[in-house]
Amino acid sequence: MSTVEIRRATVKTVTFHNPDNGWSVVKLVRPGEERPFTAVGTLPRITPGETVELTGTWIEHETFGPQFSVSSCKPVAPEGREAVERYLGGGAIKGIGPGLAKKLVDAFGEDTFDVLDNDPGRLDTIPLLRGHKKDKILRAWEESKAGREVMFFLQAHQLSLGLSHRLIRHYGANAAALLKANPYRLADEVWGIGFLKADDVGRKLGFPDDGYERIRAGLAFALTRAAESGHVFLPTGVLVEKAAELLQLELDVIVYTLDNMAAIDSVKRDEHGNYYLPWLYHAETGVARRAAMLRLGLKALPAATVESAIVAAEKHAGAGFHFSPEQRRGIAQAAGEGLFLLTGGPGTGKTTTVSAILRVFTQAGLDVKLAAPTGRAARRLSEVTGRKATTLHRLLQYDPTNRGFLHDEKTPLPCDALVVDEVSMIDTALMYSLLRAVKPGTRLVLVGDPDQLPSIGAGKILGEFIRSEAVPHLHLAAVFRQAEASRIVTNAHRVNRGLAPDLGEGTAPGEPREGNVHFVERGETGSLLETVVEMACDRLPRRFGFDPIRDVQVLTPMNQGPLGTQALNEALQQRLNPKGPALSHRGRLFRSGDKIMQLKNNYEKNVFNGDIGRVLSVDTEENGLVADFDGERVSYEDEALDQLTLAYACTIHKSQGSEFKAVVLAIAKSHFVMLQRNLFYTAITRAREQLVIVGHRAAVHRCVDHNPAIERFTLLAERLRESAR
């Protein structure tokens, strides 16, 4: 089929338009013709009355007959009074409807566009268009012009329509000019694009492979990718090799650019020749410096007050309860230190120890605050201590004006003591923000489990604090007798010691064996997925009275694959929430009632990476939804929806800091590359009442046997030791 050009056609109706990918079905009319034709394909957002130029081929559809399959589409200016009126009144310009379009064309005729562009003062002759109304119309006209210019520009360079919509929203009228000057800025400024997409744009715009901006962006990308993998820095050789592989350039060109970047501090080079993103360098060195400062101005608490509070805590815990010698030592030490670490696994008494520490602080008249990295972790801390706890982000109070936290060195937190739980989740940047906000002399108690997965963000704060031996620390190891009754607790500790969990035989819920850990072995991937869905949606809720959405959480090691979060969420949504209007966004469907998760810290909306909520309503026409996160209504529209995903199933990494009544864990040989001991241990310890493991016994043994050291480039332990001298 030969390519056909249709130089001018006017949009009559838009039958369908998908805002995510631009796929459209429209009816158009050519000049001098009355009968419309149908065009299909990826198109910009066009409206009735617009005139376009099309390139494509004619095809024959089995049901709908002849259609024009579009390969490119360019908007062109309409000609003639009638066409101008149709365009303006068709909805292309916000605020101009058919009535106002007629008044404009009646007043200015074919010169209407020229008036809007060059002589807007003439609009004052139309009574409806004075003052605020006129300003609003002119702003909308400028935005539409910017959109048309960017569309022309991107179409000429074979760039996607989806990207053009995002650029128009982000940069407005300056989008085309900014892109022509430096397309690599997209990697820094537009969330979700990254270097690879920016490099694709740069290549299509003709930017040289060895240009400074490209190499600079590639090096920054290599460091950013390393930070996303947990590294705080990269040694020179590692960074240069990664950048050379990415950019396909010689090493000396990259080294020259790297030296230049270090000279102007766009990257930070430390005394060992390691390279950091500047904010990560300041965070790592700042954590060490601020941690050492917490001992300054510390006032000792009376020993009698500490002992009295410990005795009172024992009485509160119940008849016959007594703290172990190591717990007593930890409580007293926490009362006398500016910074104290309390660690331990499940069932080792962390909760009772923390409660006693809080009682000591309260009886000493200290103003105490409690916090945790996530909303779920904060709620659990509140439940176990009986005191109000908040997330760290809410504690520190984000200020959108300054794009930083309200509480820092100049405005410290108004408290005398602070207890923070789930510290293994805290990355280097967040820990620096926390320590900046804690004034010297405040008692800071950090609580966590060092055997869980490290933070998703850069660094391994808890592990480095422990490794430094520069921070007072108590690790609780003995499991209390009451906790040994839970097979969740005993199996977690077995796995942590490198022993296979006690899975038993015939342990699926509903079968004879009692207990709260159940293993269901399945061979085929398909039957495994079906079993996960059955356990989460039917078997566990029916036997234990759980709400399948609120109380049960499906966990899996990976996002992709036949047993990844994407496949599981689609199946679980189809079972638990299959009906009602659905908002489609980048291959995901959202309905009212869906369980969702936030994927990115959004300080303006006050929701954070890993927060779980529920969809309250969807608006398919405006491409938006409203969700509930811990009682707060949050609105999303357009590209902000990129920050959401379904959360019936989530990765084990994303479940950190959360605890659920019941967990269904999918663990199979297809997850091989991800299977390791701390991942499995973390998954087990997310379950409070019931744990069902569905999968392959060989995969379980792989988890237990595979215990690699967590290699992350960070020097925090060394810096902590240096600052403590």
Side-chain angles (χ1 to χ4, degrees):
M1 290 180 287
S2 59
T3 300
V4 177
E5 289 186 3
I6 299 177
R7 295 197 174 276
R8 186 172 287 275
T10 302
V11 179
K12 186 174 182 181
T13 58
V14 178
T15 306
F16 174 78
H17 176 75
N18 185 330
D20 290 334
N21 55 25
W23 177 260
S24 305
V25 179
V26 298
K27 290 190 180 298
L28 305 101
V29 179
R30 284 183 280 199
E33 297 183 2
E34 294 184 2
R35 187 175 180 180
F37 68 92
T38 300
V40 298
T42 301
L43 303 173
R45 191 187 299 272
I46 54 179
T47 57
E50 279 197 77
T51 303
V52 294
E53 177 184 309
L54 303 172
T55 302
T57 56
W58 287 100
I59 60 173
E60 187 71 23
H61 192 278
E62 293 180 1
T63 304
F64 302 110
Q67 296 181 334
F68 191 74
S69 178
V70 179
S71 58
S72 72
C73 171
K74 295 180 181 179
V76 296
E79 294 179 349
R81 289 173 56 99
E82 186 179 339
V84 170
E85 183 179 334
R86 258 201 323 269
Y87 170 69
L88 290 175
I93 315 299
K94 288 183 179 179
I96 300 181
L100 183 54
K102 186 176 188 312
K103 290 182 183 297
L104 286 166
V105 175
D106 285 346
F108 309 118
E110 294 185 34
D111 295 332
T112 301
F113 289 170
D114 184 63
V115 170
L116 289 167
D117 280 334
N118 303 312
D119 197 5
R122 293 176 63 188
L123 296 178
D124 291 336
T125 61
I126 301 176
L128 285 173
L129 281 183
R130 291 173 184 160
H132 176 70
K133 178 74 170 176
K134 182 180 79 171
D135 293 340
K136 184 176 179 181
I137 295 298
L138 289 173
R139 279 197 303 272
W141 173 251
E142 287 299 319
E143 288 173 5
S144 77
K145 280 176 57 184
R148 292 166 68 87
E149 289 174 7
V150 172
M151 205 67 72
F152 275 126
F153 177 72
L154 296 179
Q155 287 281 293
H157 292 88
Q158 295 83 49
L159 302 178
S160 74
L161 287 159
L163 177 60
S164 71
H165 291 312
R166 296 186 67 184
L167 296 178
I168 293 166
R169 284 194 294 267
H170 191 85
Y171 293 118
N174 296 322
L178 292 173
L179 233 62
K180 291 175 187 176
N182 177 18
Y184 294 98
R185 67 187 301 157
L186 295 177
D188 299 325
E189 297 173 358
V190 184
W191 184 76
I193 286 185
F195 171 80
L196 298 178
K197 175 63 72 175
D199 194 36
D200 182 54
V201 174
R203 286 170 178 269
K204 288 176 177 175
L205 293 180
F207 277 71
D209 286 352
D210 60 353
Y212 175 80
E213 288 298 338
R214 180 172 185 263
I215 299 174
R216 183 208 65 77
L219 284 161
F221 175 75
L223 285 172
T224 300
R225 179 66 64 86
E228 291 170 350
S229 299
H231 301 295
V232 180
F233 65 82
L234 286 179
T236 303
V238 176
L239 174 57
V240 171
E241 286 182 11
K242 286 182 179 294
E245 182 180 357
L246 173 71
L247 298 167
Q248 294 295 293
L249 293 173
E250 297 297 324
L251 298 181
D252 57 347
V253 179
I254 293 170
V255 170
Y256 175 81
T257 304
L258 187 57
D259 287 341
N260 181 275
M261 292 172 69
I264 61 175
D265 278 346
S266 62
V267 294
K268 200 74 178 176
R269 181 167 51 203
D270 73 2
E271 64 275 20
H272 306 291
N274 302 310
Y275 283 90
Y276 295 71
L277 293 168
W279 60 272
L280 269 177
Y281 175 81
H282 293 303
E284 182 174 82
T285 56
V287 166
R289 185 176 64 256
R290 298 292 303 183
M293 292 174 63
L294 285 177
R295 294 188 177 188
L296 302 176
L298 191 69
K299 297 179 180 178
L301 299 182
T305 300
V306 175
E307 180 59 28
S308 171
I310 292 174
V311 172
E314 288 178 329
K315 289 181 180 178
H316 181 75
F321 176 84
H322 295 285
F323 288 111
S324 67
E326 64 177 0
Q327 285 179 301
R328 280 179 160 267
R329 186 170 65 254
I331 296 165
Q333 196 171 9
E337 298 286 354
L339 177 61
F340 180 70
L341 299 182
L342 176 66
T343 64
T348 58
K350 285 204 309 291
T351 297
T352 53
T353 306
V354 168
S355 295
I357 291 170
L358 291 172
R359 186 177 289 271
V360 169
F361 291 159
T362 302
Q363 288 192 199
L366 303 183
D367 184 3
V368 187
K369 292 188 182 298
L370 285 77
T374 67
R376 283 181 171 268
R379 283 199 302 276
R380 193 173 77 249
L381 183 58
S382 293
E383 291 169 2
V384 299
T385 62
R387 297 166 179 260
K388 181 182 178 182
T390 185
T391 64
L392 286 173
H393 294 93
R394 290 185 174 91
L395 177 75
L396 298 174
Q397 295 184 40
Y398 183 76
D399 180 5
T401 305
N402 299 318
R403 301 183 67 82
F405 291 114
L406 175 63
H407 290 292
D408 56 15
E409 301 97 325
K410 296 178 181 177
T411 312
L413 290 166
C415 61
D416 305 307
L418 174 62
V419 176
V420 180
D421 199 8
E422 295 289 354
V423 177
S424 62
M425 295 182 64
I426 301 178
D427 61 24
T428 304
L430 183 56
M431 180 55 74
Y432 180 45
S433 294
L434 173 64
L435 292 179
R436 287 179 66 193
V438 179
K439 63 181 181 289
T442 301
R443 288 163 171 80
L444 176 61
V445 179
L446 303 178
V447 184
D449 184 345
D451 297 311
Q452 288 187 26
L453 291 166
S455 61
I456 295 174
K460 44 180 182 177
I461 287 291
L462 184 57
E464 288 293 280
F465 272 29
I466 294 170
R467 186 171 74 87
S468 74
E469 298 183 348
V471 179
H473 171 220
L474 173 66
H475 180 68
L476 301 173
V479 179
F480 279 74
R481 186 174 303 169
Q482 307 94 297
E484 290 178 343
S486 168
R487 293 179 63 228
I488 292 173
V489 172
T490 56
N491 274 313
H493 285 279
R494 285 181 63 85
V495 167
N496 201 30
R497 296 197 304 271
L499 302 174
D502 175 17
L503 299 176
E505 299 295 336
T507 57
E511 296 182 8
R513 176 162 175 166
E514 294 298 323
N516 59 357
V517 176
H518 317 273
F519 177 65
V520 184
E521 186 160 21
R522 291 289 183 268
E524 300 297 325
T525 298
S527 64
L528 203 159
L529 186 145
E530 291 170 2
T531 302
V532 169
V533 173
E534 180 188 358
M535 291 294 169
C537 302
D538 298 326
R539 298 280 289 276
L540 277 169
R542 187 169 63 247
R543 180 171 178 187
F544 299 105
F546 294 142
D547 181 298
I549 297 179
R550 184 183 64 245
D551 299 330
V552 181
Q553 182 63 51
V554 173
L555 299 182
T556 181
M558 303 172 71
N559 283 309
Q560 303 301 319
L563 287 169
T565 58
Q566 187 171 335
L568 285 165
N569 271 317
E570 288 176 2
L572 290 161
Q573 183 190 48
Q574 186 59 32
R575 178 68 72 89
L576 294 171
N577 195 28
K579 298 179 180 179
L583 173 64
S584 175
H585 183 76
R586 303 195 193 282
R588 296 190 296 273
L589 295 178
F590 296 105
R591 294 189 180 93
S592 178
D594 272 336
K595 186 177 184 179
I596 55 172
M597 177 180 284
Q598 176 77 13
L599 296 175
K600 175 181 182 286
N601 287 343
N602 189 319
Y603 297 100
E604 284 80 7
K605 293 183 184 296
N606 205 28
V607 287
F608 305 99
N609 188 2
D611 283 356
I612 292 177
R614 293 283 289 272
V615 176
L616 296 175
S617 63
V618 298
D619 187 333
T620 55
E621 291 186 5
E622 295 295 327
N623 196 40
L625 63 81
V626 178
D628 176 273
F629 285 91
D630 292 334
E632 292 191 23
R633 292 170 63 92
V634 185
S635 298
Y636 295 82
E637 60 184 17
D638 295 325
E639 63 186 77
L641 293 166
D642 290 347
Q643 300 175 21
L644 295 178
T645 189
L646 293 174
Y648 300 102
C650 70
T651 63
I652 297 167
H653 279 87
K654 287 289 189 182
S655 73
Q656 285 179 268
S658 298
E659 190 177 73
F660 310 95
K661 285 187 177 181
V663 165
V664 179
L665 173 62
I667 194 128
K669 288 181 283 188
S670 61
H671 298 138
F672 187 84
V673 295
M674 292 290 294
L675 301 182
Q676 59 188 61
R677 189 181 299 171
N678 62 354
L679 186 87
F680 191 35
Y681 173 83
T682 300
I684 292 171
T685 54
R686 299 309 91 201
R688 186 163 70 239
E689 297 179 19
Q690 294 291 326
L691 170 66
V692 179
I693 302 171
V694 181
H696 303 137
R697 201 174 287 268
V700 171
H701 290 299
R702 161 70 178 178
C703 287
V704 176
D705 296 338
H706 188 222
N707 189 34
I710 300 169
E711 297 295 341
R712 291 188 169 188
F713 289 119
T714 174
L715 290 173
L716 179 58
E718 288 77 7
R719 297 187 191 282
L720 285 164
R721 284 196 289 268
E722 182 68 27
S723 295
R725 291 176 185 170

